[in-house]
Amino acid sequence: MAPRPPRGLVPALFCSLSLFLSLPSLVWLQPSPPPQSSPPPEPHPCRTCRGLVDSFNKGLERTIRDNFGGGNTAWEEEKLSKYKDSETRLVEVLESVCSKSDFECHRLLELSEELVESWWFHKQQEAPDLFQWLCSDSLKLCCPSGTFGPSCLPCPGGTERPCSGYGQCEGEGTRGGSGHCDCQAGYGGEACGQCGLGYFEAERNTSHLVCSACFGPCARCSGPEESNCLQCKKGWALHHLKCVDIDECGTERANCGADQFCVNTEGSYECRDCAKACLGCMGAGPGRCKKCSPGYQQVGSKCLDVDECETEVCPGENEQCENTEGGYRCVCTKGYKQVEGICVKEQIPESAGFFSEMTEDELVVLQQMFFGVIICALATLAAKGDLVFTAIFIGAVAAMTGYWLSERSDRVLEGFIKGR
């Protein structure tokens, strides 16, 4: 006799399957695509070549104590060649010189493998610096330190201290770049050998320059004090070795629009909009107007809004006036709406019923849910009143109803309030 499944298991599985199939397609979770990230910029060929050489040198250090391992090492060293300069060691180093994900390194190694072999077997003694021989002299990807560009020209300030030691020479060590010095804060000049704008020489000798900040508005100065200014920044004027703020609003230097007013700031000025009530102004607020805007009137020293609704300005039937800032508008009274410029009584259409407002997709979902509830009810009866499966049935129905109503709660509530 075949074993029977546990009591109530088949109805429960059948009920679960019907509920699963009755759920709308929107609940299926689609995996979100991975975020699109921009590819990292390709490294400069010189940097790739330097990395390859550094990795090669580390491989030499790692294999310096290795040998052929064939059993008779003394014979191998005597009759064949020393492992130190052997092809076996070269192959072992080259196998691990590039990481698996470093495509630029692999590409460069493929292009230069014959050169590396030539250096290994023939050039080591006369050119012990592999980086200089491979990257600079042979492949012409790099320049010596302190030089730049296709011809390896010296950087400003010289090759010993490019940019005087206070900046970065663009393209230094590569066959590219302009050689322009990007100076550190406080330093300037073609080779960063001078103090920049707003700084003064606090200390200088044949090899070093120390630049310190001037007092705030000073562009050039002889010291850190307010009275040490020699030249002022824009918006300031030099007066007895001090920089005094220029009031652009009191001169013709300010350039503000007709409906703006000027506000002086330290070293500059701001143009701010006049109040809506003003046609031109001398400051903020309706009390600083030169002239009142249309819809406003002079009351004392201020331009105030005119209430047009105090007069008959909306003659249309079932219209009323609404005052606005600087104007008014005519609107229909309650219960009326505007149609082609005339206020007509609103007609409230009768609803055709709750189910008539449902979309075709929502009807399909409701039918599927109804089918699932019927199947669950039959399955529960087949379980002969088992409380566990009855509870599962009630929970499933509540979950389905909650999901469906959460999508249409506003329309359901409106339908029940109307009694339809």
Side-chain angles (χ1 to χ4, degrees):
M1 183 175 178
R4 298 178 62 186
R7 178 172 175 262
L9 179 60
V10 173
L13 293 175
F14 190 50
C15 176
S16 300
L17 180 61
S18 64
L19 284 172
F20 182 76
L21 295 175
S22 69
L23 289 175
S25 60
L26 292 177
V27 296
W28 310 129
L29 297 177
Q30 299 295 334
S32 58
Q36 297 293 329
S37 58
S38 57
E42 291 188 3
H44 193 280
C46 177
R47 189 179 302 124
T48 302
C49 193
R50 182 180 293 277
L52 187 150
V53 171
D54 290 343
S55 181
F56 185 90
N57 291 332
K58 289 179 181 178
L60 293 181
E61 293 177 3
R62 187 178 61 254
T63 59
I64 195 170
R65 297 183 179 278
D66 292 348
N67 52 51
F68 283 101
N72 193 342
T73 304
W75 180 86
E76 290 172 344
E77 290 181 350
E78 180 181 354
K79 300 297 182 182
L80 298 177
S81 64
K82 292 184 178 181
Y83 175 75
K84 177 183 177 183
D85 300 316
S86 68
E87 183 177 1
T88 302
R89 186 185 183 194
L90 174 63
V91 171
E92 289 179 0
V93 172
L94 290 179
E95 283 179 348
S96 59
V97 75
C98 296
S99 64
K100 293 182 179 180
S101 60
D102 194 343
F103 302 109
E104 295 297 323
C105 178
H106 283 287
R107 184 167 61 181
L108 182 61
L109 180 60
E110 184 178 353
L111 294 174
S112 60
E113 190 166 0
E114 291 185 3
L115 287 172
V116 174
E117 291 177 356
S118 174
W119 176 84
W120 179 259
F121 293 115
H122 307 295
K123 301 291 184 179
Q124 282 196 69
Q125 299 302 321
E126 61 183 272
D129 187 346
L130 176 60
F131 173 77
Q132 177 68 31
W133 184 86
L134 178 66
C135 301
S136 295
D137 300 339
S138 301
L139 295 177
K140 299 189 182 304
L141 298 176
C142 303
C143 286
S145 177
T147 63
F148 74 97
S151 302
C152 295
L153 299 175
C155 290
T159 58
E160 295 296 324
R161 296 187 67 210
C163 302
S164 306
Y166 301 112
Q168 180 64 45
C169 175
E170 184 184 354
E172 180 187 359
T174 74
R175 296 282 173 153
S178 64
H180 173 77
C181 283
D182 183 14
C183 302
Q184 300 173 5
Y187 295 86
E190 182 183 359
C192 305
Q194 304 171 8
C195 290
L197 193 68
Y199 288 81
F200 70 96
E201 292 186 6
E203 185 179 342
R204 178 191 280 273
N205 56 33
T206 55
S207 60
H208 289 85
L209 169 65
V210 178
C211 296
S212 298
C214 297
F215 184 76
C218 301
R220 297 288 180 191
C221 63
S222 58
E225 303 297 332
E226 181 182 7
S227 58
N228 294 143
C229 295
L230 302 175
Q231 180 184 345
C232 298
K233 295 179 181 177
K234 184 179 178 180
W236 302 81
L238 188 64
H239 181 69
H240 297 306
L241 297 181
K242 292 184 178 181
C243 289
V244 181
D245 176 49
I246 297 173
D247 184 3
E248 293 86 356
C249 298
T251 66
E252 296 182 355
R253 298 190 182 189
N255 186 21
C256 294
D259 290 324
Q260 293 181 319
F261 64 96
C262 178
V263 176
N264 187 55
T265 61
E266 283 197 353
S268 185
Y269 67 96
E270 294 178 358
C271 292
R272 300 179 184 176
D273 293 335
C274 297
K276 187 178 179 181
C278 300
L279 279 179
C281 63
M282 299 173 289
R288 303 298 304 277
C289 297
K290 295 179 179 178
K291 187 178 179 181
C292 295
S293 299
Y296 294 85
Q297 61 183 352
Q298 187 85 27
V299 179
S301 61
K302 294 184 178 181
C303 290
L304 302 181
D305 176 51
V306 175
D307 187 357
E308 293 86 355
C309 295
E310 292 181 351
T311 59
E312 189 68 29
V313 291
C314 296
E317 189 175 0
N318 300 311
E319 279 188 339
Q320 63 183 22
C321 175
E322 281 189 1
N323 187 52
T324 61
E325 188 72 21
Y328 70 96
R329 61 172 172 261
C330 295
V331 298
C332 295
T333 56
K334 188 175 182 181
Y336 290 83
K337 64 179 181 179
Q338 196 171 66
V339 178
E340 296 181 356
I342 302 174
C343 291
V344 297
K345 192 171 182 63
E346 288 184 315
Q347 300 294 328
I348 302 176
E350 293 186 2
S351 176
F354 172 67
F355 289 103
S356 65
E357 298 178 359
M358 295 176 61
T359 64
E360 185 177 347
D361 290 339
E362 289 173 337
L363 283 173
V364 171
V365 172
L366 184 60
Q367 290 170 357
Q368 291 175 343
M369 292 174 57
F370 180 74
F371 174 74
V373 170
I374 295 300
I375 296 301
C376 284
L378 293 175
T380 305
L381 291 175
K384 297 181 180 181
D386 193 307
L387 293 178
V388 174
F389 295 107
T390 302
I392 293 175
F393 164 65
I394 294 174
V397 172
M400 285 174 23
T401 305
Y403 170 80
W404 187 68
L405 289 181
S406 65
E407 299 292 327
R408 310 186 69 256
S409 58
D410 292 340
R411 293 171 61 182
V412 170
L413 181 59
E414 183 180 358
F416 279 114
I417 291 176
K418 291 181 178 179
R420 295 181 177 87

